Every structure is written in C-alpha cells, then in structure tokens.
Amino acid sequence: MTVDLPRCRRAGWEEIDRWVAEIGRRVRAAGRAPETIVGLSRGGWVPARLLCDQLGVRRLLSLRAQHWGVTATRDGSAKLSEGLSGAVRGESVLVVDDITDTGESLALATEHLRAAGPARVESATLLHIGHSKFVPTYFAEEIPATAWVWVVFPWNYWEDLASLAARAAAETPGLDATLRTLRERCGLDVPRSDLEALAARGLLGPPGR
Ligand code: AMP
C-alpha cells in the first residue's frame, strides 16, 4: 500500500503513558509478568522500555524488523534484519511494538522467538488496527480498519514530518501552503517553526519551489 498524503493522528506522551499503563494492568491481571521484554526495532523500543518500567522487568532485548519504508509507504514484505540481541531459552518473553498494521512484523518476530526455545511468548502493542493478520496478546486500543490512519508517534515525529512535508511541498510549494496541505490532507497541525527547521536543513526541496 502506498499512501501519498495519509490521514494522520499525532500521539502524545499522555496517551502513550495511558496505553502503557493499560497494557501493564492487563498483563498483571493475566498473572503473566514476563522475565524478558523484546523491543522490536525501531517502533517498539520506547514502548518496550516503558513496559519494563511498568512491569518491573530488567531484561530488555532487541530484534529488528523492517517493513515500512518512508512514512506510510510499504517496502515489500516484512523481514527480520538484525538478530535477537540475547538468548531467550526457557524464558517467558513479551515482544513489544508500537502498532500492528499489517501484523507482518510481529507475526515474524513471534515465530522467530518461538524457534529460540522460550517457555512462553506473548506480544503487546499500544495500538492495533483491526485488519492486522496478527492479533497481539495485549493491546491498549483498537483502530477499526475503516478508520486507518498513520499514527505519528513522538519517536518518529521528525522523520514523519520531513517525509510528509516534502510531499506536501512538492504539491503546494511555500511554507504556508505546505502547512495548509498538511492540515487539510493529513489532519496534521504542526507549528510553522518546525517546517522552518526542516527547510533550514534542506529537507523541503528548493526554497520557493
Ligand atoms: P506492520 O508490520 O505492518 O504491522 O507494521 C510494522 C511497523 O510499521 C510498526 O511497528 C510501525 O512502526 C510502523 N507502522 C505500520 N503502520 C503504521 C501506522 N498506521 N502508523 C504508524 N506506524 C505504522
């Protein structure tokens, strides 16, 4: 799927704290606190670290899955591009990502982890899109497939903004027109100073184009 200027939803830290607390509650209620958390790189790293804090887990590992290229543009099918950073044999493991969309990344990661001989593998995401082929064991909020959006998480803000603003600027050159296009087409309201910062780094194409 390639979406040129996708509808977006910006996620803030308060929501993220709420989602992490909700997952923590569900994991505790299930009585299945993990010994090891695996953060899927890159989107799952911050949620995984926050869940370590929430659940009192000290062992945090990484596994890198690659799927989406630039914002809202798929880059072929998901692949695991870096191995798991530690052993999980005999451990109860929780693998964490920020969102399940196609679900391919988490499906692959879970399969890979199972092959490493853990006692148990469960999964968690902050958000889950209804059409995902993989349903995480725990998620805080479901987005119906018909309401698909690109979620701009704080850990991806500048990357997403640079990519979307460059596309918007190619259609409607000039900072004010770019701001308007981001607002009208993507539903993203960002400060003008953020676009100025990108323009100063040459990330919005030639000035006045
Ligand atoms: P997927 O394999 O399609 O479930 O998604 C893999 C990764 O791509 C997620 O962990 C996110 O980092 C990113 N991603 C996919 N879809 C979205 C979306 N709708 N909004 C924000 N990030 C997304």
Side-chain angles (χ1 to χ4, degrees):
M1 175 173 49
T2 300
V3 192
D4 186 27
L5 282 168
R7 292 306 295 175
C8 293
R9 165 179 172 185
R10 203 167 160 187
W13 288 110
E14 272 183 27
E15 269 179 311
I16 289 160
D17 282 343
R18 201 161 23 83
W19 293 330
V20 167
E22 179 58 29
I23 294 168
R25 256 192 305 277
R26 292 183 190 189
V27 172
R28 279 191 299 271
R32 295 163 85 82
E35 294 164 300
T36 295
I37 289 184
V38 175
L40 272 199
S41 153
R42 296 175 296 163
W45 270 23
V46 177
R49 179 61 185 90
L50 294 173
L51 275 168
C52 283
D53 189 37
Q54 180 67 227
L55 294 167
V57 172
R58 299 192 68 84
R59 189 156 188 264
L60 175 59
L61 301 181
S62 174
L63 177 62
R64 181 173 179 217
Q66 260 179 302
H67 190 183
W68 294 75
V70 290
T71 301
T73 311
R74 291 224 359 225
D75 191 11
S77 52
K79 46 189 169 297
L80 296 176
S81 49
E82 315 275 349
L84 185 63
S85 64
V88 292
R89 182 161 298 282
E91 298 270 302
S92 56
V93 176
L94 182 68
V95 52
V96 177
D97 205 353
D98 48 6
I99 183 166
T100 20
D101 188 337
T102 65
E104 281 184 34
S105 307
L106 211 46
L108 256 187
T110 305
E111 200 181 299
H112 182 74
L113 284 165
R114 288 227 160 88
R120 179 171 73 220
V121 179
E122 293 193 318
S123 54
T125 56
L126 304 179
L127 299 171
H128 170 63
I129 301 187
H131 60 197
S132 168
K133 70 174 193 178
F134 182 92
V135 182
T137 322
Y138 311 97
F139 56 88
E141 191 178 307
E142 176 161 350
I143 299 174
T146 49
W148 184 93
V149 280
W150 184 262
V151 181
V152 179
F153 293 103
W155 44 88
N156 224 55
Y157 174 71
W158 288 102
E159 186 174 314
D160 282 339
L161 185 60
S163 157
L164 296 168
R167 290 180 229 170
E171 272 189 30
T172 52
L175 282 193
D176 291 317
T178 301
L179 272 179
R180 201 164 41 245
T181 299
L182 287 174
R183 195 162 49 239
E184 288 169 3
R185 299 269 299 281
C186 304
L188 260 191
D189 219 348
V190 298
R192 195 177 197 281
S193 55
D194 286 359
L195 286 197
E196 285 164 356
L198 289 176
R201 290 161 59 197
L203 294 175
L204 289 188
R209 227 177 15 123

